[in-house]
Amino acid sequence: MSSYLEYKVKTNQNYTTIGISYHRQLGLLAILSNTENDEAQILICDELGEDLDNSGPNICKGHITSFCWHPTQRTLAIGTNSGQIYIWNGGLITALDFVHEETIVFSKWSSLGGCLVTGDQTGIIIGWKSDSRGLLKMSFKSNIGANLTNNISFRAGKAATDISNLAKMAVAGDQSALDIFSSWRPRTTTSHGPQTVTSDNITFYCATVSELYYFDEDGEFSIVLLPKSVILRILCHDSKDVCILVCKDLTVAYYKCNKNGSLSEVSKVKLNGLKEDLCIIWAGPSLLACTTNDVSIRFWDIESGNSYVLTAPISYTSSFPKQTFVNISYSVEKGLLCGATNVGNIIIWRFEEETVDQWNIHGSCKISDTIKYCIWSPLNLAVHAMNGIYILHEHSLLASYKEDVAIVQTSANDLNVFYPSINESFSFNSNLQVIGLALNKEHICLWNGKLISVYKIQSKEIPAVVGTFNCDVQEACIFDRIVIVAENSGKLQIRTFQGTIKQTLDVEAPIVCLTLNTCYLAAITLSGVVHIWDLNRREAKLMCKPKDITLNIDDYGEAIQLRLNSNGTKVSFTAANLNLVPMPRLYVWDRDLDTIYVKHFEKGLDVDEIQYNDTRFIVSHYWDTNEPNLLFCEAKSIEKTENQLLRPSLYTLSNKQKKKKMIGSSVILSMFFIEQKGLKIQDIIHCPDQFCTILGLDAPYYITLCKHNTNTKTRVKRNLMKEFEGIEDCNSDIRAAIINFVLLSGQVWLKCV
């Protein structure tokens, strides 16, 4: 399960927030509020709720009654109770020609943004299109002569061209590769999921209390349905030409849309026993989800007609007061479904078709507020609550090991400190929502993105704060009594524990990865250049000319993980390709020879009669703290050749009884770097079920993070290398001799082959 960090957005408490909206591609958050002076405020923030520079707040006259982001552009349309339409397009608020005379009940962009449609209470509907200068001009004006509701839904655009099975498999493989690198997402760009529509459709349906209307491209309209009950919701699918109508008598009808806009009923269901204020949404290619009167969600697959219920864990169902879901929200990009309850609990599920349960809990959290609704951005979840706006950011819990000290994050603020050699540990609570950590034998450095705190650690004693300072930190390392900080601004600075800048290191672009081994520091930038410094001096000294690895790797896109050996002569890294999909390779730059070696894992592993034929990705790797040619890697597979009988899928098309189970299985590789030859795998170590990840290498031990057998709590474990069985207490000379002997054996083997 993932942890979710909570950020409360700073808003003016004197204003009444009436709505929030995330831009699905750009991640901009719009917060819209009304004042007591018949004015409205539009606040534009980044994904974590921080004010954008020069974005506002923007003030417009009247109270906001509708709003909608352009699907691709930095443009927000706002309607008010005075009938005025305002546009924010990255700068100031501008008003469109005053055409409406009454309260705007809806403003909606078509799927690709080719048309904006606005409607008011009196039944006047206006279509707006951009002219050659990008300005919105009225393209049609229609009057249905009846009071409109706020229901409007555009028909689906032309579906993206279907791709071959081979291409589909490639896309699925790319996503699986990204999934196993759960804590990494590229800084170069953000993926927004596959494009499902390639052409715009500016025809739409809207409704009065008792009639459903269809509008064509020219604003011509007709009544296509006279339902027996009031229409509560119109749901057209994004990529399928179908329409769902939800009525006040709790009937849900499924229609196919004909070319002329008329509707052909396919099926209809009655949601007995539910309330009118139910929340119903699309939650997959053909799957509808709706809230019930408790903490369960009802699903209906419109293709197969099947339905089923997803219920929250018993801890939510047996609580007092009784909990019910007040809102659900689905992220198309991430495949996550969020359910928010009346007491502030939020449960997040991920759909996994290859598992028996299919909907598995991905994370949960609690907001100390009364929740109105939640919305997804490409990366985060925003919560509109009674007393404020909250951003929930998914965070992979952290763990690190250095010099016989390990630290493991257990929640946003709580950490466990382990001393593996003496099997002791203790816990402590920080005042930060920790998003990053670094440590050495005596100090821990924690940061939340804006603030860094340094603690002094001693066995079984609560760590004491020795320094705190403000810094816009992306990544940091700690050495002796200094902190090396890579800032989001692109600067790389050496600071004291109190934040005083001692030195600024020259880099040509923002840092992507930062690593430290003994007294050597390495960094790789967004432009693909590697820098190495020696910190064991009064000032950090550059050890060699920076290396541009893009000149040697044709399909290099961005670094994922960077490591440095104990004497600073070898730099290893994993990377994503130009499409920002992780590559199953491990690269090593030999600084002395200025040569980049690569180890491929596309065809699996074959060492001493141990064979793994599936593609492996190096998700984590570490050089030994003393021996410069020894490193251990965690190699993870995205495929397991195991067919499992599953119940028919209610997410995509039904009747798929067998599916290849895509799960990650890890092995640990013991590897040597052999001069002028590159990497050689010495041993393959099978990982037990309790294994989480590898944390470090300190021969004769490698350090792993594991789960306890009885619960989900983790522990840090020292594992003895097989070459040292029976002599684990040897001194440094014997340890070096054994490793050199194994290394020499590998060189002889290479010569023989």
Side-chain angles (χ1 to χ4, degrees):
M1 289 174 60
S2 293
S3 172
Y4 282 83
L5 302 182
E6 175 189 321
Y7 300 87
K8 188 170 183 180
V9 181
K10 293 180 181 179
T11 56
N12 192 327
Q13 297 301 311
N14 296 324
Y15 295 172
T16 302
T17 301
I18 56 97
I20 61 175
S21 181
Y22 256 135
H23 196 295
R24 275 185 61 176
Q25 287 196 12
L26 303 179
L28 299 176
L29 175 65
I31 302 174
L32 302 106
S33 306
N34 289 331
T35 73
E36 297 179 353
N37 303 323
D38 197 32
E39 289 184 337
Q41 174 185 277
I42 299 96
L43 184 64
I44 309 297
C45 307
D46 64 15
E47 279 198 294
L48 289 179
E50 295 288 335
D51 292 356
L52 289 183
D53 294 337
N54 303 319
S55 69
N58 298 278
I59 303 296
C60 58
K61 294 182 180 180
H63 284 178
I64 296 174
T65 54
S66 70
F67 49 91
C68 183
W69 280 108
H70 188 284
T72 59
Q73 297 175 8
R74 196 183 174 96
T75 302
L76 179 71
I78 304 118
T80 67
N81 61 346
S82 63
Q84 183 67 66
I85 303 296
Y86 293 94
I87 299 294
W88 179 86
N89 58 3
L92 298 176
I93 291 282
T94 58
L96 298 182
D97 295 337
F98 213 115
V99 181
H100 293 285
E101 297 180 356
E102 295 292 335
T103 298
I104 305 298
V105 294
F106 60 69
S107 52
K108 183 80 171 178
W109 295 93
S110 57
S111 59
L112 294 184
C115 179
L116 170 67
V117 173
T118 57
D120 64 35
Q121 276 184 337
T122 63
I124 294 177
I125 296 175
I126 299 175
W128 307 83
K129 290 185 179 181
S130 296
D131 61 16
S132 59
R133 296 175 296 169
L135 301 177
L136 286 172
K137 298 295 182 182
M138 186 171 65
S139 62
F140 69 79
K141 180 180 179 180
S142 303
N143 189 351
I144 63 173
N147 291 338
L148 285 168
T149 66
N150 62 357
N151 287 298
I152 179 175
S153 189
F154 280 89
R155 289 177 66 177
K158 183 179 179 182
T161 304
D162 191 24
I163 54 178
S164 66
N165 289 331
L166 184 61
K168 288 179 181 178
M169 291 170 63
V171 170
D174 289 351
Q175 186 58 51
S176 298
L178 284 168
D179 288 343
I180 68 171
F181 288 86
S182 58
S183 61
W184 174 82
R185 283 300 179 262
R187 293 191 63 201
T188 304
T189 188
T190 302
S191 174
H192 303 296
Q195 183 178 0
T196 56
V197 173
T198 57
S199 65
D200 211 1
N201 190 338
I202 58 176
T203 63
F204 60 92
Y205 296 96
C206 62
T208 62
V209 173
S210 58
E211 299 167 325
L212 182 69
Y213 288 82
Y214 172 72
F215 278 71
D216 65 15
E217 299 90 341
D218 301 318
E220 301 293 329
F221 63 90
S222 60
I223 299 174
V224 292
L225 196 67
L226 296 171
K228 297 179 181 179
S229 182
V230 175
I231 298 172
L232 297 179
R233 193 80 187 271
I234 307 172
L235 294 171
C236 289
H237 199 278
D238 284 343
S239 57
K240 298 179 180 179
D241 206 6
V242 300
C243 180
I244 302 294
L245 289 187
V246 184
C247 295
K248 191 174 182 179
D249 61 0
L250 298 181
T251 58
V252 179
Y254 165 36
Y255 299 92
K256 288 192 174 179
C257 303
N258 300 316
K259 188 175 182 180
N260 63 356
S262 62
L263 299 176
S264 300
E265 183 177 313
V266 178
S267 59
K268 184 182 293 185
V269 295
K270 179 88 170 178
L271 303 177
N272 294 318
L274 301 185
K275 298 178 181 179
E276 291 181 16
D277 61 352
L278 63 87
C279 179
I280 184 166
I281 60 172
W282 288 108
S286 62
L287 193 64
L288 285 170
C290 72
T291 56
T292 60
N293 297 330
D294 52 26
V295 282
S296 60
I297 300 171
R298 182 178 295 181
F299 293 93
W300 177 34
D301 187 285
I302 62 171
E303 295 287 346
S304 67
N306 294 327
S307 64
Y308 65 99
V309 173
L310 174 67
T311 303
I314 192 170
S315 59
Y316 297 92
T317 60
S318 59
S319 64
F320 181 83
K322 180 184 176 181
Q323 294 195 59
T324 59
F325 283 127
V326 295
N327 180 256
I328 54 176
S329 180
Y330 180 72
S331 169
V332 176
E333 292 82 5
K334 304 183 77 170
L336 297 177
L337 177 68
C338 156
T341 76
N342 56 317
V343 299
N345 284 313
I346 296 175
I347 309 172
I348 298 172
W349 287 272
R350 179 189 290 277
F351 187 90
E352 297 175 352
E353 191 173 7
E354 66 273 10
T355 65
V356 175
D357 295 330
Q358 295 199 323
W359 288 102
N360 295 321
I361 292 183
H362 182 69
S364 63
C365 59
K366 182 176 176 64
I367 298 291
S368 300
D369 206 336
T370 303
I371 297 174
K372 294 182 178 180
Y373 62 86
C374 304
I375 56 171
W376 287 99
S377 78
L379 297 176
N380 302 318
L381 180 70
V383 181
H384 183 194
M386 193 72 69
N387 299 311
I389 310 299
Y390 303 86
I391 307 296
L392 300 181
H393 176 69
E394 185 178 357
H395 170 69
S396 296
L397 295 177
L398 306 169
S400 184
Y401 171 86
K402 277 285 176 68
E403 302 178 77
D404 197 38
V405 181
I407 185 167
V408 178
Q409 185 181 17
T410 57
S411 71
N413 306 91
D414 298 312
L415 303 107
N416 288 340
V417 179
F418 295 86
Y419 293 90
S421 62
I422 57 177
N423 199 27
E424 289 185 356
S425 65
F426 65 90
S427 303
F428 78 98
N429 178 274
S430 70
N431 295 322
L432 302 176
Q433 284 199 130
V434 179
I435 67 168
L437 64 86
L439 76 158
N440 61 19
K441 193 171 186 177
E442 297 180 349
H443 297 94
I444 300 173
C445 175
L446 306 176
W447 62 90
N448 64 0
K450 301 296 182 183
L451 184 75
I452 292 180
S453 288
V454 182
Y455 298 78
K456 184 174 178 60
I457 52 174
Q458 294 177 338
S459 180
K460 294 187 176 180
E461 293 185 12
I462 301 300
V465 177
V466 295
T468 299
F469 57 93
N470 293 316
C471 184
D472 188 18
V473 57
Q474 175 209 327
E475 189 63 71
C477 293
I478 187 168
F479 172 73
D480 195 18
R481 299 190 64 82
I482 60 172
V483 181
I484 305 95
V485 182
E487 299 184 15
N488 287 313
S489 63
K491 294 180 180 179
L492 183 60
Q493 296 179 328
I494 296 178
R495 295 174 178 254
T496 66
F497 288 171
Q498 290 71 39
T500 303
I501 299 174
K502 295 183 64 178
Q503 186 180 355
T504 299
L505 304 180
D506 292 330
V507 289
E508 80 294 337
I511 300 296
V512 174
C513 300
L514 192 67
T515 188
L516 179 71
N517 195 351
T518 60
C519 62
Y520 301 104
L521 175 73
I524 188 167
T525 67
L526 199 58
S527 56
V529 178
V530 177
H531 303 256
I532 306 175
W533 294 271
D534 183 357
L535 302 179
N536 202 19
R537 298 169 182 266
R538 184 179 180 86
E539 287 191 342
K541 181 182 178 182
L542 198 62
M543 296 184 64
C544 61
K545 182 181 176 181
K547 174 68 174 179
D548 186 350
I549 60 177
T550 62
L551 301 177
N552 300 84
I553 307 173
D554 293 335
D555 53 349
Y556 175 85
E558 184 175 309
I560 298 175
Q561 188 181 65
L562 182 73
R563 293 288 184 256
L564 183 65
N565 73 342
S566 60
N567 63 8
T569 59
K570 311 290 188 301
V571 176
S572 57
F573 57 92
T574 54
N577 61 23
L578 291 172
N579 294 323
L580 299 175
V581 175
M583 296 185 288
R585 306 170 194 171
L586 179 62
Y587 296 92
V588 177
W589 172 42
D590 186 330
R591 180 171 60 85
D592 293 335
L593 299 178
D594 193 20
T595 302
I596 293 180
Y597 298 89
V598 59
K599 184 71 174 177
H600 293 268
F601 297 94
E602 287 94 338
K603 297 181 180 180
L605 307 168
D606 185 0
V607 179
D608 295 337
E609 299 182 355
I610 301 176
Q611 291 185 348
Y612 293 87
N613 296 322
D614 45 3
T615 299
R616 296 269 163 176
F617 292 85
I618 304 302
V619 296
S620 187
H621 70 287
Y622 293 90
W623 293 87
D624 186 69
T625 54
N626 296 291
E627 304 302 328
N629 294 307
L630 175 64
L631 73 158
F632 270 40
C633 307
E634 178 189 346
K636 196 168 189 177
S637 168
I638 60 173
E639 295 185 8
K640 184 177 180 181
T641 54
E642 174 182 339
N643 287 323
Q644 184 177 1
L645 187 66
L646 300 177
R647 64 186 176 89
S649 169
L650 299 180
Y651 180 73
T652 54
L653 296 177
S654 59
N655 302 321
K656 291 182 180 178
Q657 296 283 34
K658 288 188 177 182
K659 181 179 177 71
K660 198 173 189 180
K661 192 178 180 185
M662 305 286 286
I663 62 174
S665 59
S666 291
V667 295
I668 294 176
L669 307 179
S670 170
M671 304 178 74
F672 281 101
F673 183 86
I674 299 175
E675 299 296 336
Q676 300 183 2
K677 296 291 185 180
L679 292 168
K680 175 189 178 297
I681 299 175
Q682 170 66 20
D683 191 18
I684 300 178
I685 304 168
H686 176 71
C687 296
D689 293 338
Q690 295 77 26
F691 173 83
C692 295
T693 189
I694 185 170
L695 295 181
L697 177 58
D698 194 358
Y701 297 97
Y702 62 96
I703 316 300
T704 58
L705 183 67
C706 301
K707 293 179 181 178
H708 284 288
N709 291 325
T710 55
N711 52 47
T712 58
K713 292 183 179 180
T714 55
R715 62 189 177 96
V716 176
K717 181 182 178 183
R718 289 203 309 171
N719 306 269
L720 186 65
M721 296 169 58
K722 71 176 186 178
E723 290 84 0
F724 291 89
E725 292 177 358
I727 53 172
E728 57 268 26
D729 296 325
C730 63
N731 58 37
S732 59
D733 292 336
I734 296 176
R735 180 193 65 213
I738 292 173
I739 290 177
N740 287 333
F741 174 77
V742 178
L743 176 60
L744 181 61
S745 300
Q747 291 175 321
V748 172
W749 179 86
L750 283 175
K751 290 180 181 178
C752 292
V753 297

